[in-house]
Amino acid sequence: MEKITAIKGIKDILPADTPVWRHVEQIAREIFHCFGFREIRVPIMEKTALFQRSIGETTDIVEKEMYTFRDRDDELITLRPEATASVIRAYIEHNLSAADPVTKLYTIGPMFRRERPQKGRFRQFHQMDVEVFGDDQPQSDAEVILMLMHFLQVAGVQKLSLEINSLGCKACRPVFSQAVVEYLKESHNVLCPDCQRRIQINPLRVFDCKVETCGVVIADAPRILNYLCVECSYHFSLVKNHLDDLKLTYEINPQMVRGLDYYTKTAFEVKSGALGAQNSLAGGGRYDGLVSFLGGPDVPGIGFGIGLERLISCLPDPDKPPYRTDIFIAALGARAQKFCFGLTNELRLSGISAAMDYSDKSLKSQMKRADRLNCAYTLILGDQEMQDHCAQLRNMSTKEQQSLSLDTVTQTLISILHEG
RNA sequence: GUGGGUGUAGCUCAGUUGGUUAGAGUGCCGGGUUGUGGCCCCGGAGGUCGAGGGUUCAAAUCCCUUCACUCACCCCA
């Protein structure tokens, strides 16, 4: 029989790893709460058109990376490749802007992109996604960046670097974009085939080409920061001032372009070493026209996404708390088994983690198992104890044993274990 | 979609110029202790050597095909 395996690029998160995930998520929830964000849970599927419109028809994501299928009623459905579109859709659909002029939301969950897997890149991956609607002030930009950096630091990510840029708005970016095209056309034949293609599709992409000869050309290309309109330029300088006030260190990377069409003004990215080629841990930016473009009110927005697999993989030797069981009930013989089955489950119902073995193995074997489960105590109950109407409670670290009457054993254990 | 690397026990890996019954460590089960864990000692189970084909007296080993995993390009979290 052929073995059925998980789908390529889609991973199980095994019991040994889930505590780290929960730990990271818990830190995020606490910090996001402090900054005034509330959780929203949105579906992992949406109508395909939502992503086509928000992310951009000509982006790689929409062109070749989406998991799309036709539903039984012929509607096109897509597994979300990112969360922002869904959050905005929900924000509009439930008219959240009416309740509060500024809405701050976060969501955590899986995303899907059909790319070739490699280190730090999967077809199902997890993101924490944070969005602010209704605030166009530069403080808002600085605030989300601060929250992001603070979270990553508290989570324990090493060697963080923050890069920021401004991508301009619909007034100034086209001018810049045109200037870049003009410039690149002059050096067209020096560029790599990929970049020659990029000029047609998305000229700004040429900026993060890794080919050396392209880098030389790019070095003298027009800079976005020189083309910003008065408003964008002012906004960007205030963002920098606020970041300075918040004592955040950052680098301005005028070559940074984000992969999604909807970004305006501030864009930012956090990288970490020890991540392989996919070294971008989190990225985001402002998207002031997007909500209205998707049919909502004309409110500004800013947000970011954090890649959880990448975040966790660059945590220094994540401290895995060992799995711990409060007590192991070792039963010997049929009568003891019957009694212990009831006892074990009573303890569980009282909020104590209790384990026992039903297959009547040797005491040695049961003790071994108790040790493996990292039990604080083992209760030993055999024919002799049934006869004497008592049980032996062994402290697994001190090896001390005491005799407990069967009449009150449940209550005695509950009080001992709830104290410890 | 394109290129490189790797596939041997649950896991991590040895395996010589092709040569008998494919090994180790770890984990698992049992025993040493007729009812007491970790350390130690002994034993046991566990493998279509990724799959298919070919060369050969003989293939884990050489050749071809294919699949999977992985890293990188592309792109992005």
Side-chain angles (χ1 to χ4, degrees), chain A residues 90-389:
Chain A
Y91 173 80
I92 297 169
E93 192 165 332
H94 302 285
N95 209 9
L96 297 185
S97 63
D100 196 330
V102 177
T103 307
K104 299 164 119 181
L105 301 170
Y106 74 91
T107 193
I108 302 174
M111 310 295 158
F112 305 85
R113 291 182 201 173
R114 201 184 183 292
E115 300 178 88
R116 192 75 169 259
Q118 69 183 75
K119 192 177 180 66
R121 192 171 70 187
F122 312 95
R123 290 185 173 180
Q124 174 176 329
F125 59 100
H126 297 76
Q127 279 190 352
M128 291 179 178
D129 192 74
V130 168
E131 315 287 349
V132 179
F133 300 110
D135 193 337
D136 62 358
Q137 296 302 308
Q139 284 96 327
S140 185
D141 304 41
E143 172 189 288
V144 296
I145 293 173
L146 172 68
M147 183 173 83
L148 170 60
M149 296 308 286
H150 177 61
F151 162 63
L152 293 174
Q153 272 157 15
V154 173
V157 180
Q158 310 276 357
K159 289 192 285 185
L160 288 171
S161 71
L162 168 64
E163 294 180 5
I164 64 169
N165 191 22
S166 177
L167 301 177
C169 61
K170 60 176 186 280
C172 52
R173 182 148 49 153
V175 180
F176 166 68
S177 197
Q178 191 55 42
V180 172
V181 173
E182 296 296 330
Y183 172 82
L184 290 177
K185 272 181 183 166
E186 289 171 24
S187 323
H188 189 274
N189 42 16
V190 187
L191 296 171
C192 71
D194 277 329
C195 283
Q196 296 187 2
R197 184 176 51 84
R198 287 178 177 120
I199 294 178
Q200 311 296 326
I201 312 290
N202 191 344
L204 302 188
R205 244 318 109 53
V206 177
F207 278 99
D208 46 26
C209 182
K210 287 160 190 158
V211 178
E212 237 179 89
T213 49
C214 296
V216 176
V217 174
I218 294 156
D220 292 326
R223 293 297 167 111
I224 178 72
L225 297 179
N226 297 329
Y227 282 77
L228 293 180
C229 63
V230 176
E231 189 197 325
C232 288
S233 182
Y234 184 57
H235 184 92
F236 191 52
S237 66
L238 286 179
V239 170
K240 286 185 289 186
N241 287 347
H242 292 311
L243 290 177
D244 293 336
D245 290 346
L246 293 168
K247 298 183 176 59
L248 280 170
T249 55
Y250 57 88
E251 250 174 74
I252 295 165
N253 178 0
Q255 300 191 358
M256 180 174 70
V257 288
R258 313 252 54 243
L260 292 73
D261 279 359
Y262 53 62
Y263 285 114
T264 58
K265 291 184 180 166
T266 314
F268 53 93
E269 192 165 321
V270 181
K271 294 178 179 172
S272 171
L275 261 185
Q278 309 301 321
N279 62 352
S280 173
L281 230 142
R286 184 164 276 287
Y287 44 85
D288 283 348
L290 184 58
V291 177
S292 63
F293 182 67
L294 290 175
D298 185 16
V299 295
I302 182 167
F304 62 79
I306 307 171
L308 283 180
E309 282 84 356
R310 291 182 187 179
L311 189 165
I312 285 167
S313 85
C314 64
L315 254 32
D317 216 2
D319 46 334
K320 296 180 180 172
Y323 184 77
R324 194 162 176 87
T325 304
D326 295 329
I327 187 167
F328 191 91
I329 313 290
L332 299 158
R335 276 182 68 210
Q337 276 274 339
K338 187 171 166 56
F339 181 86
C340 289
F341 182 64
L343 173 61
T344 300
N345 285 300
E346 267 187 85
L347 292 174
R348 289 168 173 167
L349 295 178
S350 308
I352 287 164
S353 66
M356 75 171 281
D357 186 286
Y358 299 141
S359 53
D360 201 28
K361 291 201 174 122
S362 70
L363 180 60
K364 172 176 176 156
S365 160
Q366 297 195 56
M367 294 291 292
K368 242 176 148 169
R369 186 158 164 73
D371 193 54
R372 261 206 330 272
L373 292 175
N374 207 2
C375 292
Y377 293 92
T378 298
L379 187 80
I380 299 161
L381 225 174
D383 290 338
Q384 189 59 52
E385 284 78 7
M386 291 303 287
Q387 199 84 51
D388 301 344
H389 215 63

